[in-house]
Amino acid sequence: MKGVCNLLQELKAIVLMVFVQIVYAAGNVLYKLAINDGMSITVATVYRLILASAFTIPIALIFDRKKRSKITWRVLFLGFLCGLFGGSLFLNLYFEGLALTSTTFMMAMLNLNPGITFIMVILFGFEKLNLGAAEGRAKVMGTIIGISGAMILTFVKGVEINIWCSKVNLIHPHKSQNGWHGDFSNKFLGVPCAIGSCCSFCLWYIIQAKLNEEYPSHLSSSALMSIMGTIQAVVFALCIERDWSQWKLGYNITLLTVAYSGIMNSGIVVIVIAWCIKMRGPLFASIFGPLQLLLVAVASYLMLNEKLYLGSLLGAALIVCGLYTVLWGKGKEIKKKTHLVSSETARESETVEVACYVHEI
């Protein structure tokens, strides 16, 4: 009976993580449709963060009311940085890159996050290379493979791959794109935006870890991040977007996209991922990332008239291989640290028992 319960719990976590990737993939397709329909990226970011704040603030007030930590100036500053790198700056860069490139390209670039995070933590001194161990070499090799895949995805086109003859193009014919590989201006602006969004998100990982140390109330820190991100996004949008008609939400694709991303992506999905990480760990949640790339690539090919090229598939495959290599190295490292901690705890328990025995004698 216990084995059956464990199996059901494991299947529940797998189903939920697949659900998360489907939600994210649908969100990316919706954003691409809304951007091609003329949606303002900066205004959409504002509304998304407002909805995220409206969703997280009541939850934090209800569930953290008895255990909320004290908010200091340092906590506010870290919350401001989290709102910047994980909210306003990341979303604006990501959606600008999405507008200039393709959904498949942006999803492939996001799979570079483990490698970029590894480089950053090395530069900031949080971790060491540890090339003498297999896990250290795996993380370095995975990072190199992932970056190589990103370069191939960006600059190598190759032959076009036609998988399905009949496709539905949801983008207006005069706005339809024949792939972004041939457009040098898109490539020149879109690639830096994509890389910038990845670096911003990886910085958020590092700063969020610091915020969790200073302010362990996770729901309240999420609400604080959403509030800070909303303030920053509003200020930025007011400076950039002077067309007030863009601020009006009608019954169109823009309203659907903003409502969907604010409630699903920044609300429900965050809770689901938190539960899965609590039950199975962060490594388990990370493994499902490439599934989103596959879903987005297929959906974009079938519905957004985005062409598939051999270079794109090869680059994406290398990025996924690099991702799993880094995750394998990180998993081995975590297991080794856990084993060392368990051994030290056991030795300390034995020492205490011996001391107690000697004292009794």
Side-chain angles (χ1 to χ4, degrees):
M1 189 67 182
K2 187 177 180 181
V4 174
C5 291
N6 290 335
L7 178 61
L8 290 175
Q9 198 77 345
E10 184 174 343
L11 287 174
K12 182 179 178 181
I14 292 172
V15 170
L16 285 174
M17 282 309 303
V18 171
F19 165 75
V20 165
Q21 304 311 318
I22 293 172
V23 169
Y24 275 144
N28 275 277
V29 173
L30 280 175
Y31 263 103
K32 189 65 177 180
L33 288 171
I35 288 169
N36 280 277
D37 195 52
M39 179 185 72
S40 170
I41 293 168
T42 55
V43 174
T45 300
V46 170
Y47 285 128
R48 173 170 174 166
L49 289 172
I50 287 174
L51 282 171
S53 299
F55 188 86
T56 55
I57 290 173
I59 294 176
L61 290 174
I62 294 170
F63 292 100
D64 279 352
R65 65 184 185 277
K66 294 182 179 179
K67 56 180 179 179
R68 189 179 297 110
S69 305
K70 183 180 179 181
I71 298 179
T72 63
W73 286 109
R74 180 176 172 81
V75 169
L76 284 175
F77 178 67
L78 290 173
F80 176 86
L81 293 179
C82 284
L84 178 67
F85 293 114
S88 57
L89 180 62
F90 163 69
L91 290 174
N92 276 293
L93 286 174
Y94 180 81
F95 295 135
E96 189 65 39
L98 184 65
L100 294 171
T101 60
S102 68
T103 50
T104 306
F105 176 80
M106 291 303 297
M107 288 312 309
M109 292 299 288
L110 280 184
N111 280 312
L112 283 175
N113 282 351
I116 295 174
T117 304
F118 173 64
I119 293 173
M120 286 184 173
V121 295
I122 291 295
L123 293 176
F124 291 142
F126 291 111
E127 288 190 17
K128 295 181 180 179
L129 282 175
N130 195 20
L131 293 175
E135 57 268 19
R137 292 193 295 271
K139 289 194 291 185
V140 173
M141 186 60 66
T143 302
I144 294 171
I145 293 172
I147 293 174
S148 301
M151 294 301 100
I152 293 174
L153 181 71
T154 305
F155 299 110
V156 177
K157 185 176 180 180
V159 297
E160 183 182 346
I161 298 174
N162 290 313
I163 301 174
W164 195 263
C165 296
S166 176
K167 294 189 293 182
V168 178
N169 183 13
L170 297 181
I171 297 177
H172 195 277
H174 79 273
K175 295 179 181 179
S176 181
Q177 299 175 343
N178 294 321
W180 68 285
H181 290 266
D183 194 333
F184 179 78
S185 62
N186 280 4
K187 196 180 287 189
F188 183 75
L189 295 174
V191 172
C193 286
I195 295 173
S197 66
C198 290
C199 292
S200 177
F201 201 67
C202 293
L203 273 173
W204 171 67
Y205 278 138
I206 297 171
I207 298 168
Q208 183 66 38
K210 286 289 184 183
L211 179 59
N212 288 339
E213 293 176 4
E214 296 280 338
Y215 192 71
S217 303
H218 302 300
L219 292 174
S220 296
S221 65
S222 298
L224 178 63
M225 170 186 159
S226 297
I227 293 168
M228 291 294 185
T230 301
I231 295 170
Q232 296 160 7
V234 167
V235 172
F236 180 72
L238 289 174
C239 294
I240 298 298
E241 186 56 70
R242 301 299 178 88
D243 183 7
W244 293 107
S245 62
Q246 289 286 351
W247 291 84
K248 297 178 181 178
L249 291 176
Y251 292 99
N252 51 25
I253 187 66
T254 301
L255 177 62
L256 175 62
T257 302
V258 170
Y260 178 91
S261 62
I263 297 170
M264 297 296 293
N265 292 38
S266 299
I268 296 173
V269 161
V270 172
I271 297 172
V272 172
I273 292 176
W275 182 86
C276 290
I277 290 175
K278 181 180 178 181
M279 298 302 296
R280 300 295 305 277
L283 190 62
F284 173 82
S286 302
I287 287 172
F288 289 84
L291 175 60
Q292 185 182 165
L293 172 60
L294 174 64
L295 292 171
V296 168
V298 172
S300 300
Y301 176 76
L302 295 176
M303 294 186 291
L304 302 182
N305 199 31
E306 290 183 4
K307 294 183 178 180
L308 288 177
Y309 296 96
L310 182 61
S312 302
L313 294 181
L314 179 60
L318 284 175
I319 289 174
V320 172
C321 289
L323 167 69
Y324 280 115
T325 305
V326 173
L327 291 176
W328 180 86
K330 192 65 181 174
K332 292 283 287 184
E333 191 177 72
I334 292 171
K335 286 182 180 179
K336 186 176 288 187
K337 287 181 180 178
T338 304
H339 178 70
L340 287 173
V341 170
S342 300
S343 300
E344 289 176 3
T345 305
R347 283 198 298 269
E348 288 176 2
S349 298
E350 289 175 3
T351 304
V352 171
E353 288 176 5
V354 170
C356 291
Y357 178 72
V358 172
H359 179 70
E360 288 175 1
I361 292 174

